[in-house]
C-alpha cells in the first residue's frame, strides 16, 4: 500500500508531500530504463517547481540511510535545491531519465550557493551511494554573464571513501561538474553521463585502486540542445569555452584510472594530467574522442608508468602536448591526431604505433620519439632531442627535420612487423532483466535478519516468482540475513538487493550471511542460478571464515546454464566466488562483480556465443573494511605482520582470480584485481577481446594456455608481478598454442615482463616496462616498440623458439638481445652522433 505523509512545518512544506511506500515497490517511469526501478520511497514533485525541497529531500535520504540502504525515487518533474544535499551511505537518489530530452525527465533545479565557487556541492555522495537518472540545471546561469557555482556533485568526506557512482545523468550548465577528492578515495564510477560545464567538466584527485569513467560526454551541445529556457546558441558557447580556461577532464592523482568512451569537444583543454595533492596518475584511455579543443591532451606530470591511449581521436589547435616538466611516457596506439601538432616539450617519451597525424610532430626538448607504422607529414627534432626511432614511414610523405646535436637517431622505411589492426570490443553490453515488472519481497515470505536460517523463506519467495508467467524480481531489503542451507534462483527470476550501484562490503546493504559448507570445497554452491536467471545489488559474507588462514567453502555462486547474469554483486570473503564455467554459460552478462576471495574468484567457460564481463574489481580490503556490527571470525595479529598482509599472502600464494576457459566469443573490459597467484587466465579453445585490465601484485599476472587456433586480442593491460611467489607479468605456459596480441601495455616491478614457454605466439605491440626482461624459451615472440626503463644485461633473452625485436629501446644504455633473434632498428646508447 502507498500512503501519503505530510510534514507539518508550514504551508510550503505541505506542498512538499512525499509518498512513502509501506514496503518497497516498483516505480512507474515515463522513459525506458535499463533495469527495473525499485525503491523504498517515492517523492512527489511539488506543485510549484520553485519551492525548495532540500530539507524534505534530505530527511528522506536520511531515513533510507538508517534502513541500511536503498533507493529514493524522484519521478518526472522539477525539484528546486536551495541548499546542499547529501546522499547517505548505501543510498541511491534516482530519477526518471531520458538521454535525448533531459528537460523531460527528473530535473534538479539548483539555486544553492550562487557565486560561491568554493562552497559545498549541490549534491554530496557518501560511500556506496549514487546519483542515477537525474538532470541538473542552473536556471540562473547565463552565458552573457556567467556566474561561478560550487561543484554540482562531489564525494562526501567519509573515510574510507569507497564507491561513489554517478550514472545516467545530465549536467546541463554547471560551472563545475563532478569532483572526486582531493580527500582520499577509491572506486568512483561514472557511467553514461552528459556534461556541459563553464569551467571544469570533472576533476579527480587522490584516487587509489581505482577509478572508472565509461561513456561520458563533456560538450557544449549538452546545454545548447537541452530544451531548457535560456539555452545559448552553439556557436556562442563554443567560442566561450575555447576562449576561457576550461577543462573537460582534469586529473591530479589517480592510480589505475580506467577511461573508456570519454568524449570532450570545444574545451580549451580536453583532458589534463598534472600533479595532485598526493602524487601523480597512471591511466589508460580506450575508444575516446577529444575533439575541436584548444589542446586535446595535456600531459604535465604522470608517474613513470605513464599514460596509454588506444583507438582514440584527438583534434585541436594542439592535438597533444607534453609540457616542459613532463618526464614520463605517453603511448598512442591506433590513434588519429588532427587539427594541430603533437608537441613533446619535456624530457619524456612520446610513443606512437599505427597512428595517423595530420600535422607535424615536434620534439622541443631532451625527449624521445618512438614511432612505428605511423603517417605524419613532418617530424621536427630539436637540438636537444635524445632519441628518435622512426620505422615504417614513407619519405615522400613524411619530411624529417633533424636538428639534434647528439641523438640516437634512426629512420627506416621498412617495417617488417606490420599487421592489419583488429578491433577490440565492437559493441556495448546489453543487460538482461526479468520479462515482467512483478516484484516480490522476501519479507512477505517471513525472511528476517532475526532468523538463524532464511533459506526456506528465500526459496519460497523465489519459487513463487518462478510461477509468474514472465518471471519476477525477488527483493531483499537491507539487513543481514543468515543461512544454513542453500538456495536456487529459478529461470526468469532475479534475486535483487538494495544496492542500485556498485558497492563495497563496508556499506553493508542486503547481506546474505553463509554459515554452512566449511571444509567442503566441492560441496553444493550456496546460490545456484538456473538458466536465464540473475543476481543484482547483493553482498555475500562468511561469518566463520578466518581472515588470517582461510578455510575451504563451496562456490558462493554457480550458474547452471545459459543466459545468467550478475550486476553490482559483492562477495566479501569467499573461498570460491562465482562459477560460470562448470555448465554451459552462453550469453552470460557480468557487470561490477567485486570482492575478496582466497582460492578462486570468477571462472567463466563453456560458452559458444558472445559473453560479456566488465568492471570486475577484486581487492583484499573487501574482506577487511566491514561494518562494525558485522559478525566475523576474530583473529590475532601476528607480530610485525599486519592482518591485511595475511590476506595478501594467501592470495599471492593460491588465488586464481579471473579465469576464462573454452569461451568462443568473449568481450572483457575494465577488469582489475589486487593480489593473486594467477591474475587473469585464458585456457582451452578461446577467442577473446580484452580492453583495459590491471593485475597488481600478482605472482603470474596473465596466464595463457590456449589451444591451437585460439586468439586473444588485448589492449591497455597494466601488470605488476610482485611478491614471494612472483614469476612474471605475462606467462605463456608450455601447452599454450594460441595466438595472443597485446597493444599499448604497461608493466612495473622487477620480474620478467614476458615468459614465453608455449608453442604458440605472442605479439607485443608497444609497451612501457619498468619490469624485467622478456624471456623466450619456446614458440615465437614479436616485440615491437618496447620501452624499458630499468637497466638489464639483456632486455630480450632467447633460449628457444624464435623472437623478433623491432624498434625497441632502453632508457639506460643500448637495447641488448641475447641469443638468436631477428633484430631490427633497436635503439643504441645515449649519446651518439647526430643524423
Amino acid at each position: 500500500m502507498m500512503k501519503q505523509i505530510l510534514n507539518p512545518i508550514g504551508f510550503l512544506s505541505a506542498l512538499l508531500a512525499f509518498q512513502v511506500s509501506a514496503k518497497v515497490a516498483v516505480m512507474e517511469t515515463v522513459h525506458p530504463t535499463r533495469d527495473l526501478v525499485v525503491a523504498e520511497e517515492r517523492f512527489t514533485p511539488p506543485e510549484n517547481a520553485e519551492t525548495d525541497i532540500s530539507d524534505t529531500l534530505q530527511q528522506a535520504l536520511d531515513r533510507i540511510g538508517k534502513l541500511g540502504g536503498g533507493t529514493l525515487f524522484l519521478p518526472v518533474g522539477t525539484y528546486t535545491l536551495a541548499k546542499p544535499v547529501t546522499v547517505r551511505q548505501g543510498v541511491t537518489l534516482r530519477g526518471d531519465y531520458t538521454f535525448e530530452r533531459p528537460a523531460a525527465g527528473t530535473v534538479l533545479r539548483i539555486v544553492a550557493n550562487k557565486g560561491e565557487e568554493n562552497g559545498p556541492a549541490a549534491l554530496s555522495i557518501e560511500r556506496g551511494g549514487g546519483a542515477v537518472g537525474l538532470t541538473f540545471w542552473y536556471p540562473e546561469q547565463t552565458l552573457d554573464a556567467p556566474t561561478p557555482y560550487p561543484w554540482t556533485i562531489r564525494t562526501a568526506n567519509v573515510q574510507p571513501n569507497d564507491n561513489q557512482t554517478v550514472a545516467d545523468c545530465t549536467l546541463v550548465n554547471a560551472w563545475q561538474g563532478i569532483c572526486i577528492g582531493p580527500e582520499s578515495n577509491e572506486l568512483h564510477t561514472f557511467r553514461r553521463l552528459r556534461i556541459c560545464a563553464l569551467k571544469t567538466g570533472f576533476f579527480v584527485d587522490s584516487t587509489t585502486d581505482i577509478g572508472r569513467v565509461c561513456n561520458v560526454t563533456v560538450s557544449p551541445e549538452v546545454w545548447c540542445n537541452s530544451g531548457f529556457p535560456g539555452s545559448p546558441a552553439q556557436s556562442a558557447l563554443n567560442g566561450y569555452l575555447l576562449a576561457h580556461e576550461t577543462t573537460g577532464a582534469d586529473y591530479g592523482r589517480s592510480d589505475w584510472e580506467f577511461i573508456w568512451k570519454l568524449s570532450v569537444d570545444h574545451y580549451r583543454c580536453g583532458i589534463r594530467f598534472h600533479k595532485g595533492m598526493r602524487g601523480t596518475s597512471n591511466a589508460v584511455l580506450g575508444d575516446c574522442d577529444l575533439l575541436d579543443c584548444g589542446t586535446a591532451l595535456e600531459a604535465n606530470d604522470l608517474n613513470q608508468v605513464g599514460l596509454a591511449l588506444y583507438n582514440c581521436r584527438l583534434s585541436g589547435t594542439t592535438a597533444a602536448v607534453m609540457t616542459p616538466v613532463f618526464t614520463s611516457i605517453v603511448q598512442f596506439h591506433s590513434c588519429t591526431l588532427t587539427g594541430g601538432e603533437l608537441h613533446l616539450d619535456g624530457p619524456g617519451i612520446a610513443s606512437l604505433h599505427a597512428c595517423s597525424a595530420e600535422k607535424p610532430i615536434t620534439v622541443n626538448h631532451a625527449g624521445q620519439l618512438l614511432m612505428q607504422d605511423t603517417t605524419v607529414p613532418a617530424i621536427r627534432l630539436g637540438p636537444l632531442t635524445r632519441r628518435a626511432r622512426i620505422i615504417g614511414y614513407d619519405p615522400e610523405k613524411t619530411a624529417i627535420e633533424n636538428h639534434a646535436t647528439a641523438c640516437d637517431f634512426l629512420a627506416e622505411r621498412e617495417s617488417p612487423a606490420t599487421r592489419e589492426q583488429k578491433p577490440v570490443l565492437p559493441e556495448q553490453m546489453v543487460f538482461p532483466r526479468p520479462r515482467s515488472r512483478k516484484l516480490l519481497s522476501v519479507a512477505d515470505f517471513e525472511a528476517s535478519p532475526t532468523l538463524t536460517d532464511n533459506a526456506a523463506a528465500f526459496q519460497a519467495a523465489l519459487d513463487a516468482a518462478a510461477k509468474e508467467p514472465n518471471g519476477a524480481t525477488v527483493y531483499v531489503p537491507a539487513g543481514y540475513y543468515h543461512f544454513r542451507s542453500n538456495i536456487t534462483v529459478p529461470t526468469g527470476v532475479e534475486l535483487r538487493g538494495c544496492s542500485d550501484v556498485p558497492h563495497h562490503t563496508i556499506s553493508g546493504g542486503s547481506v546474505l550471511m553463509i554459515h554452512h559448507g566449511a571444509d567442503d570445497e566441492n560441496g553444493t554452491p550456496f546460490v545456484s542460478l538456473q538458466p536465464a536467471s540473475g543476481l543484482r545489488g547483493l553482498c555475500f559474507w562468511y561469518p566463520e571464515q578466518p581472515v588470517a588462514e582461510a578455510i575451504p567453502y563451496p562456490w558462493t555462486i554457480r550458474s547452471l546454464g545459459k543466459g545468467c547474469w550478475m550486476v553490482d554483486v559483492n562477495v566479501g570473503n569467499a573461498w570460491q566466488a562465482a562459477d560460470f564455467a562448470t555448465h554451459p554459460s552462453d550469453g552470460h552478462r557480468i557487470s561490477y562483480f567485486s570482492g575478496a576471495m582466497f582460492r578462486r574468484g570468477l571462472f567463466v567457460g563453456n560458452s559458444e556465443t558472445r559473453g560479456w564481463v566488465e568492471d570486475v574489481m577484486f581487492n583484499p580490503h573487501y574482506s577487511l573494511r566491514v561494518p562494525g556490527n558485522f559478525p566475523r571470525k576474530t583473529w590475532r595479529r601476528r607480530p610485525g605482520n599486519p592482518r591485511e598482509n595475511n590476506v595478501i599472502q594467501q592470495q599471492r600464494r593460491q588465488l586464481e582470480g579471473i579465469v576464462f576457459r573454452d569461451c568462443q566469443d568473449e568481450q572483457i573490459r575494465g577488469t582489475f584485481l589486487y593480489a593473486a597467484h594467477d591474475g587473469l587466465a585464458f585456457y582451452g579453445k578461446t577467442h577473446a577481446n580484452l580492453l583495459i585490465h590491471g593485475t597488481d601484485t600478482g605472482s603470474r599476472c596473465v596466464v595463457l594456455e590456449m589451444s591451437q587456433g585460439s586468439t586473444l586480442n588485448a589492449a591497455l593491460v597494466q601488470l605488476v608481478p610482485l611478491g614471494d611467489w612472483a614469476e612474471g607479468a605475462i606467462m605463456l605456459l608450455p601447452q599454450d598454442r594460441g595466438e595472443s596480441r597485446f597493444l599499448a601495455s604497461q608493466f612495473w616491478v622487477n620480474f620478467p615482463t614476458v615468459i614465453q614457454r608455449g608453442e604458440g605466439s605472442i605479439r607485443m605491440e608497444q609497451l612501457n616496462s619498468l619490469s624485467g626482461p622478456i624471456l623466450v624459451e619456446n614458440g615465437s615472440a614479436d616485440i615491437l616498440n618496447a620501452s624499458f626503463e630499468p637497466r638489464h644485461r639483456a632486455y630480450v633473452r632467447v633460449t628457444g623458439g624464435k623472437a623478433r625485436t623491432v624498434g625497441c629501446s632502453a632508457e639506460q644504455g643500448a637495447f641488448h638481445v641475447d641469443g638468436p633473434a631477428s633484430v631490427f632498428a633497436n635503439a643504441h646508447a645515449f649519446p651518439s652522433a647526430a643524423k
Side-chain angles (χ1 to χ4, degrees):
M1 295 289 293
M2 301 287 288
K3 63 180 179 178
Q4 185 167 314
I5 297 177
L6 300 183
N7 189 348
I9 59 174
F11 173 75
L12 285 179
S13 295
L15 295 176
L16 305 182
F18 55 85
Q19 293 181 326
V20 180
S21 154
K23 58 182 180 180
V24 69
V26 175
M27 300 292 109
E28 296 292 336
T29 64
V30 174
H31 306 292
T33 58
R34 293 166 59 86
D35 63 335
L36 200 64
V37 179
V38 178
E40 274 68 18
E41 296 194 15
R42 179 186 184 278
F43 214 95
T44 297
E47 294 180 7
N48 183 350
E50 297 185 6
T51 302
D52 178 23
I53 58 103
S54 305
D55 289 339
T56 312
L57 181 64
Q58 188 64 67
Q59 292 164 14
L61 292 166
D62 292 348
R63 278 194 303 276
I64 298 174
K66 290 176 181 178
L67 293 175
T71 296
L72 174 63
F73 179 68
L74 277 64
V76 167
T78 300
Y79 307 79
T80 293
L81 298 185
K83 298 177 184 177
V85 170
T86 299
V87 178
R88 298 303 182 191
Q89 177 176 226
V91 177
T92 298
L93 180 61
R94 182 160 185 174
D96 193 345
Y97 179 74
T98 168
F99 175 85
E100 295 82 4
R101 297 181 296 123
T106 300
V107 178
L108 297 183
R109 180 179 178 273
I110 302 171
V111 296
N113 300 107
K114 181 178 181 179
E116 300 179 30
E117 181 172 298
N118 298 315
L123 195 71
S124 297
I125 303 177
E126 295 183 348
R127 64 193 180 206
V132 177
L134 303 169
T135 296
F136 298 83
W137 174 52
Y138 292 79
E140 298 173 357
Q141 184 65 274
T142 67
L143 186 60
D144 294 336
T147 302
Y149 281 87
W151 293 100
T152 302
I153 304 171
R154 71 167 300 159
T155 47
N157 191 14
V158 179
Q159 297 300 321
N161 217 344
D162 297 318
N163 282 113
Q164 282 94 348
T165 298
V166 186
D168 294 320
C169 288
T170 294
L171 282 65
V172 175
N173 58 346
W175 180 256
Q176 307 170 110
I178 305 173
C179 176
I180 302 294
E183 304 84 10
S184 295
N185 65 90
E186 294 179 329
L187 300 168
H188 59 265
T189 300
F190 301 165
R191 288 177 174 166
R192 300 176 300 274
L193 305 181
R194 290 170 57 79
I195 301 169
C196 177
L198 295 179
K199 184 179 181 184
T200 305
F202 64 87
F203 168 75
V204 173
D205 194 14
S206 301
T207 298
T208 53
D209 289 2
I210 62 173
R212 290 176 168 88
V213 172
C214 312
N215 281 291
V216 174
T217 295
V218 185
S219 170
E221 180 270 337
V222 174
W223 187 7
C224 296
N225 296 334
S226 65
F228 284 96
S231 297
Q234 183 92 42
S235 58
L237 185 50
N238 290 353
Y240 173 90
L241 293 172
L242 289 169
H244 292 78
E245 293 299 324
T246 60
T247 305
D250 189 9
Y251 279 94
R253 174 183 174 179
S254 181
D255 301 351
W256 307 77
E257 186 78 4
F258 290 176
I259 306 171
W260 181 55
K261 290 188 179 295
L262 170 66
S263 176
V264 180
D265 69 90
H266 289 95
Y267 276 74
R268 184 77 168 267
C269 180
I271 188 168
R272 175 183 291 116
F273 293 90
H274 56 90
K275 189 172 184 179
M277 180 178 288
R278 294 174 177 84
T280 52
S281 290
N282 61 274
V284 294
L285 283 80
D287 301 334
C288 294
D289 291 312
L290 309 168
L291 304 176
D292 299 318
C293 295
T295 298
L297 166 66
E298 179 182 306
N300 292 289
D301 211 348
L302 294 158
N303 64 34
Q304 289 308 104
V305 179
L307 174 67
L309 300 90
Y310 173 73
N311 193 33
C312 296
R313 289 146 295 280
L314 299 84
S315 72
T317 306
T318 300
V321 62
M322 285 124 266
T323 67
V325 299
F326 179 76
T327 60
S328 183
I329 181 171
V330 177
Q331 300 179 89
F332 301 87
H333 195 299
S334 304
C335 294
T336 302
L337 295 83
T338 58
E341 297 186 6
L342 182 153
H343 287 274
L344 175 57
D345 294 338
I349 301 172
S351 174
L352 293 93
H353 199 106
C355 293
S356 172
E358 185 180 63
K359 293 295 177 66
I361 296 173
T362 301
V363 181
N364 286 322
H365 195 41
Q368 301 179 55
L369 175 64
L370 310 175
M371 197 176 85
Q372 289 191 29
D373 297 330
T374 291
T375 59
V376 58
I379 298 170
R380 301 167 182 157
L381 305 178
L384 299 179
T385 302
R386 292 197 301 157
R387 172 175 288 143
R389 274 292 179 276
I390 305 164
I391 299 170
Y393 83 105
D394 185 347
E396 295 183 359
K397 296 180 179 178
T398 301
I400 300 176
E401 301 175 16
N402 186 0
H403 302 287
T405 57
C407 175
D408 173 18
F409 172 84
L410 181 64
E412 289 282 355
R413 296 184 60 175
E414 184 182 357
S415 178
T418 298
R419 181 176 294 186
E420 182 182 354
Q421 303 303 302
K422 296 181 179 179
V424 172
L425 296 194
E427 60 187 52
Q428 299 181 44
M429 180 193 298
V430 176
F431 284 82
R433 54 189 282 185
R435 293 172 57 196
S436 82
R437 297 174 53 80
K438 181 71 175 180
L439 182 74
L440 307 176
S441 173
V442 296
D444 292 336
F445 293 79
E446 300 184 351
S448 169
T450 63
L451 293 180
T452 59
D453 187 3
N454 279 276
F458 269 60
Q459 195 61 59
L462 292 164
D463 291 345
K467 295 177 181 178
E468 295 292 330
N470 293 304
T473 298
V474 175
Y475 188 75
V476 184
Y480 305 162
Y481 299 86
H482 300 272
F483 291 81
R484 286 171 170 80
S485 47
N486 303 318
I487 59 175
T488 298
V489 181
T491 295
V493 175
E494 178 179 273
L495 183 62
R496 177 172 180 161
C498 69
S499 296
D500 239 6
V501 293
H503 56 286
H504 194 284
T505 318
I506 196 170
S507 296
S510 303
V511 186
L512 281 57
M513 300 276 183
I514 306 162
H515 293 269
H516 60 286
D519 294 315
D520 186 9
E521 179 176 283
N522 297 316
T524 303
F526 170 58
V527 175
S528 294
L529 298 174
Q530 289 187 346
S533 67
L535 303 174
R536 185 186 298 265
L538 293 163
C539 179
F540 296 84
W541 182 256
Y542 292 80
E544 283 86 40
Q545 178 66 279
V547 172
E549 293 295 337
I551 60 176
Y553 279 86
W555 288 95
T556 306
I557 301 159
R558 173 175 284 163
S559 71
L560 301 180
K562 302 176 181 180
C564 292
W565 68 89
M566 295 193 301
V567 180
D568 297 336
V569 171
N570 172 259
V571 178
N573 62 345
W575 180 257
Q576 306 172 107
D579 171 21
F580 277 61
T582 298
H583 300 278
S585 67
D586 304 55
H588 56 266
R589 299 290 188 268
I590 299 170
S591 180
Y592 218 110
F593 181 53
S594 63
M597 53 289 301
F598 299 97
R599 183 62 183 89
R600 298 177 183 91
L602 172 64
F603 277 39
V604 178
N606 280 314
S607 177
E608 295 184 356
T609 60
R610 175 157 292 178
W612 269 95
V613 174
E614 68 175 14
D615 294 338
V616 173
M617 182 71 210
F618 295 160
N619 195 299
H621 58 53
Y622 286 97
S623 69
L624 300 166
R625 299 178 193 165
V626 299
N629 61 349
F630 245 38
R632 54 179 172 169
K633 188 84 170 181
T634 58
W635 63 86
R636 278 188 213 165
R637 292 197 183 190
R638 299 176 181 176
N641 190 8
R643 68 185 191 218
E644 185 165 354
N645 287 343
N646 293 329
V647 178
I648 292 172
Q649 286 294 81
Q650 292 174 78
Q651 292 174 325
R652 287 172 172 171
R653 183 179 69 246
Q654 66 186 17
L655 174 62
E656 297 177 77
I658 307 169
V659 177
F660 296 90
R661 184 186 297 273
D662 297 326
C663 296
Q664 293 303 300
D665 185 2
E666 196 67 28
Q667 310 296 315
I668 310 159
R669 180 185 60 77
T671 49
F672 177 91
L673 69 169
Y674 181 100
H677 188 273
D678 291 355
L680 177 65
F682 295 88
Y683 296 101
K685 188 176 181 181
T686 292
H687 297 279
N689 285 328
L690 168 66
L691 181 65
I692 306 177
H693 169 79
T695 297
D696 192 0
T697 184
S699 301
R700 307 190 304 184
C701 299
V702 171
V703 177
L704 301 174
E705 194 177 65
M706 299 186 295
S707 59
Q708 189 169 0
S710 296
T711 58
L712 169 64
N713 287 295
L716 304 176
V717 169
Q718 303 170 291
L719 306 177
V720 183
L722 180 66
D724 293 342
W725 296 271
E727 297 182 53
I730 298 177
M731 302 285 299
L732 291 88
L733 303 184
Q735 297 304 312
D736 181 71
R737 292 178 172 82
E739 177 184 335
S740 55
R741 186 163 171 256
F742 291 82
L743 318 177
S745 308
Q746 300 168 318
F747 305 84
W748 57 110
V749 180
N750 194 21
F751 287 91
T753 297
V754 177
I755 302 179
Q756 164 58 306
R757 292 175 177 153
E759 298 180 10
S761 66
I762 183 170
R763 179 182 175 91
M764 305 295 297
E765 282 187 21
Q766 191 185 58
L767 64 96
N768 176 41
S769 180
L770 282 63
S771 292
I774 295 173
L775 309 180
V776 181
E777 302 174 8
N778 197 4
S780 68
D782 281 348
I783 302 103
L784 289 65
N785 203 354
S787 176
F788 281 80
E789 182 172 293
R791 181 183 292 275
H792 300 297
R793 179 181 59 82
Y795 295 89
V796 177
R797 301 177 188 172
V798 184
T799 57
K802 58 182 180 180
R804 175 171 54 177
T805 64
V806 179
C808 299
S809 64
E811 273 289 274
Q812 302 182 49
F815 190 90
H816 290 295
V817 177
D818 273 358
S822 171
V823 176
F824 184 84
N826 292 335
H828 303 303
F830 294 124
S832 65
K835 306 180 185 178

